[in-house]
Amino acid sequence: MASRIPVQAPPSVDLDVLARRFRLPIADLSQATAQAVSLVPERWARRFHVVPLVATEHELLIATADPLDVDCERTLAFAAGRQIRLALANADDISARIDEVYRDAERSESVVREPAPLLEVQHLDAASEAAPSASVDESTTSISHLVDELLAAGIARRASDIHIEPEEQGIAVRHRVDGMLALSRVLPRSVGPALVSRIKILSGLDIADRLRPQDGRARVAVNGVAVDLRVSTLPASHGEKVVVRVLDSRSAVLDLQGMGFHADECRRIEQLLQAREGLILVTGPTGSGKTTTLYAALRQLKDRGVNIVTVEDPIEYRLPGIVQVQVNEKAGLTFAAALRSIMRQDPDVLLIGEIRDRETAEIAIQASLTGHLVLSTLHTNDAPSAITRLIDIGVASYKIATAVKGVLAQRLVRRVCTACAGRGGACAVCGGSGFHGRLALVEVLNATPEFEQRVAAGESTERIAEAARAGGMRSLWKSGMAHAAEQRTTVAEVLRVAAPDDPEPAVARRAVRGHSFPAMAQIEVGTVDVFVIRPLPTGWRVLALQRGLATRCPSSWETVHGHIEPGEEPEQAAVREVREESGLEVARLYNVRVAPFYLHKLHVLELAIVFAAFVDEPAEVAIATEHQAWEWLSVDDALRRFSFPSERASLREIVELLSTGSAGSVDDVMRVF
């Protein structure tokens, strides 16, 4: 087979000519950063004759003299877990720069190579498996080492869940960090079946059964520390999806103060825990920290020298000094069956993972009425609704009034990163998000005589809520606003998980302004996003612009974006920005939608007017200095290329609205000219 002839720039060829030919920027070799160098081993830099320049969370910019080396691009993308972007440089200059950057990396402590944490599966021996090769071909890559690498990366980034999702273009690996899901890397589709099989082996699942959902567990060691994993598989259209829940006891908050409650909230919770008998409930949706709060409460109760027994499905964290029972439905060990047996074990405190049915609720109520303190969870939106939920299950209201001592409803919001909050920017600690860790918003309902009377009388949820508020209960919204006032979180985070107490928007805005914190002090319609489209007979082509290295979001891909100048109408700004950023003239302009974006550094909620701009042929692009490259992409390619989810959402709406060439019956409203 004939080998491919490398396309390199000899010294006599102007790089500008080659750059225009391949529509690539010219590399600035002096910009090689320590982070980028750490992602590419020296042997690969020399093998592919490249210099790593700049790395972001999702992309790696490299300098190359051979822009057609597909094997280089594919291999480095796999190794670095990032999309590869190319810039051109002279071959001799690259050789000299490789010597410099890797010589400096060896002798300078400023270049830190972070080794992948060694994952040692305790119940399986994977030590004899081959090391991963440089190729991404499934036949030469060690799947077991790939799985170890994926788990190690997720745990190192504090991910609570690792999602492995087969898609049409590849296997997407996503991490949920501080409650937010973000793409980590994309793997070739070919590794999918072997990858899922390896994870199934680790978690004791049936690798031959690919048609049914399965659940399993695994335990791995990261740098000598045991970490429990819960594994769930689900058959999907492109293959099996796997979600790995990371149960890392090192990052678990196991005391009430660490949950981030306000001092008055902690006092009300501790007052509940002083009870010697009764039922205490924690409510909220999945992922709101209910189990973590219950574990923190058990830790405090354990100091009393009492006998504590838990019934859970599943057991999330092992608690020393506490008897924990795992529900096993197949073996007949249900919540109700376990509770009946536990009552003969002389417990003082019971934790029931979740009250799911009438039988479990009745046993929990009966235990709380016979001298036991019972803690459990329910899925309700707020604290007063827990009472209605128990009645719906079938528990008598008079029993609820006597048994329930208190209810906590909670949500989790991201905590502002303390490492960079004072400087007004993101840092390496928070990974550029501006947030690090989470804290709990909570409403604490303490039972009062008035509350008990209304519950026993079977009154409505609103009437019960009135009694709770009279007893000192503060709503989730007010709990969140108090955190935002102290700048521990932002109003945008509070709005993400809790609704304002007053449904009227104007009242909600007054409530926001009533606090002494800067977040959302301004709401501005200040920018335009313009999707430039060539409606070719073979299909639409969408203009994508790549930002320069010295700008915000370096190397990211975006649509035309710019500010509305004073005295300028949004549609005028759209036409001007298209002309300035691409050199194109707009033939047809449509007003599509309004997209909000919270600028956390400026504490401004900014609204961008989204336009679709159609241009005629010839569509010759001349980009401005803030961009380093451009491409006309198909709609599908543009959806994959654009960096911000809001841009992808806007483009989908444009396609739905204008795919026939006009907006149909609403064209006269949507079309500007």
Side-chain angles (χ1 to χ4, degrees), residues 564-597:
I564 302 173
E565 300 295 343
E568 191 177 44
E569 295 296 332
E571 53 268 29
Q572 295 171 330
V575 174
R576 176 182 53 78
E577 288 292 341
V578 170
R579 184 183 300 118
E580 291 177 357
E581 293 191 18
S582 69
L584 297 170
E585 293 295 332
V586 178
R588 288 185 293 139
L589 186 69
Y590 284 86
N591 169 30
V592 180
R593 67 194 301 237
V594 177
F597 187 76

Side-chain angles (χ1 to χ4, degrees), residues 531-543 584-590 612-619 632-635 654-655 658-662 671:
F531 290 80
V532 181
I533 300 166
R534 295 168 65 194
L536 301 178
T538 56
W540 281 10
R541 294 295 181 270
V542 182
L543 181 63
L584 297 170
E585 293 295 332
V586 178
R588 288 185 293 139
L589 186 69
Y590 284 86
F614 291 84
V615 297
D616 293 332
E617 299 296 318
W632 287 110
L633 302 173
S634 68
V635 171
I654 289 170
V655 172
L658 300 168
S659 59
T660 60
S662 73
R671 185 166 179 173

Side-chain angles (χ1 to χ4, degrees), residues 516-574:
S516 58
F517 54 87
M520 277 188 65
Q522 302 178 51
I523 299 179
E524 297 180 355
V525 182
T527 60
V528 291
D529 287 335
V530 190
F531 290 80
V532 181
I533 300 166
R534 295 168 65 194
L536 301 178
T538 56
W540 281 10
R541 294 295 181 270
V542 182
L543 181 63
L545 304 173
Q546 186 182 36
R547 297 196 64 82
L549 297 179
T551 65
R552 61 174 176 82
C553 306
S555 299
S556 64
W557 288 86
E558 62 177 13
T559 186
V560 171
H561 172 83
H563 287 276
I564 302 173
E565 300 295 343
E568 191 177 44
E569 295 296 332
E571 53 268 29
Q572 295 171 330

Side-chain angles (χ1 to χ4, degrees), residues 171-194:
I171 308 297
V173 180
R174 294 182 171 88
H175 293 160
R176 187 178 296 280
V177 179
D178 295 335
M180 306 299 287
L181 198 62
L183 180 67
S184 173
R185 62 190 295 183
V186 177
L187 303 173
R189 284 199 64 183
S190 59
V191 305

Side-chain angles (χ1 to χ4, degrees), residues 293-532:
T293 297
L294 288 177
Y295 281 176
L298 290 184
R299 184 175 181 177
Q300 185 163 322
L301 291 170
K302 189 179 69 169
D303 295 337
R304 296 183 187 172
V306 294
N307 180 20
I308 302 175
V309 183
T310 76
V311 186
E312 305 173 65
D313 184 22
I315 297 174
E316 300 225 358
Y317 298 103
R318 310 289 176 175
L319 303 176
I322 294 176
V323 177
Q324 296 175 268
V325 178
Q326 169 71 56
V327 168
N328 188 339
E329 299 276 355
K330 294 181 180 178
L333 186 61
T334 62
F335 275 108
L339 286 171
R340 283 192 293 268
S341 298
I342 289 170
M343 293 304 295
R344 297 190 288 271
Q345 296 284 318
D346 187 32
D348 297 300
V349 179
L350 283 172
L351 185 149
I352 304 171
E354 183 183 349
I355 294 178
R356 300 178 177 177
D357 51 43
R358 178 176 179 177
E359 186 177 13
T360 304
E362 289 283 5
I363 297 174
I365 292 287
Q366 189 61 34
S368 68
L369 294 175
T370 54
H372 304 85
L373 181 61
V374 181
L375 288 72
S376 189
T377 69
L378 276 176
H379 287 283
T380 62
N381 291 329
D382 53 30
S385 297
I387 307 303
T388 307
R389 174 63 177 152
L390 289 175
I391 294 174
D392 291 342
I393 288 176
V395 181
S397 58
Y398 70 90
K399 289 185 178 180
I400 299 172
T402 306
V404 173
K405 300 303 178 185
V407 184
L408 281 68
Q410 73 177 50
R411 302 289 190 276
L412 295 179
V413 295
R414 292 182 293 173
R415 191 191 299 258
V416 170
C417 177
T418 56
C420 63
R423 301 194 303 271
C427 64
V429 174
C430 60
S433 67
F435 298 94
H436 187 272
R438 291 191 286 178
L439 55 84
L441 316 184
V442 66
E443 57 183 22
V444 187
L445 187 161
N446 293 62
T448 62
E450 180 64 24
F451 166 82
E452 294 176 2
Q453 291 175 11
R454 296 191 183 189
V455 172
E459 296 198 22
S460 66
T461 300
E462 182 52 41
R463 290 278 294 163
I464 294 172
E466 289 175 1
R469 287 192 290 268
M473 183 188 77
R474 179 168 60 182
S475 68
L476 288 168
W477 170 255
K478 290 181 178 177
S479 175
M481 298 304 286
H483 281 299
E486 297 172 4
Q487 299 189 23
R488 302 172 73 193
T489 188
T490 65
V491 175
E493 277 294 293
V494 178
L495 287 169
R496 184 172 61 85
V497 301
D501 291 340
D502 195 312
E504 291 297 327
V507 177
R509 285 195 295 271
R510 287 197 298 272
V512 171
R513 296 191 185 106
H515 288 271
S516 58
F517 54 87
M520 277 188 65
Q522 302 178 51
I523 299 179
E524 297 180 355
V525 182
T527 60
V528 291
D529 287 335
V530 190
F531 290 80
V532 181

